[in-house]
Amino acid sequence: QVVDIKYLGTKYLDKFTRIHAKDALEYFVVFSSISCGRGNAGQTNYGYANSTMERICEQRHHDGLPGKMKTNRETSPRSASI
């Protein structure tokens, strides 16, 4: 269930903002954690869900839209993660 909620929620927000807010949207913020890259024992689904959210943000960035995820070591005026 966690995969569906995180992935589908991000997917539909991405789709909606591409259609209705392409020129007006300055930031696309999703909340994830570093566990998608490192993982925690017993939280495979949670890590996978976070990873799918990051792939959507990477595709947005590739398409020239806001949504690049960042880690605590990166900085970008068009991205945010908590």
Side-chain angles (χ1 to χ4, degrees):
Q1 288 181 352
V2 71
V3 173
D4 289 342
I5 293 167
K6 286 181 168 249
Y7 169 68
L8 293 177
T10 305
K11 176 183 171 183
Y12 293 139
L13 282 172
D14 172 46
K15 183 177 180 178
F16 182 85
T17 58
R18 285 175 182 263
I19 295 168
H20 299 288
K22 185 176 182 178
D23 297 325
L25 191 68
E26 190 173 339
Y27 297 95
F28 184 85
V29 180
V30 295
F31 296 87
S32 182
S33 76
I34 199 163
S35 72
C36 68
R38 293 184 157 171
N40 293 322
Q43 293 189 337
T44 304
N45 289 343
Y46 180 73
Y48 177 72
N50 288 331
S51 182
T52 61
M53 293 166 59
E54 289 193 27
R55 300 299 77 80
I56 291 170
C57 288
E58 286 175 355
Q59 185 61 51
R60 289 182 61 85
H61 181 70
H62 178 5
D63 295 342
L65 300 169
K68 179 179 180 278
M69 292 293 294
K70 73 179 186 74
T71 64
N72 293 337
R73 293 181 296 266
E74 295 178 80
T75 59
S76 172
R78 292 171 44 120
S79 63
S81 66
I82 294 179

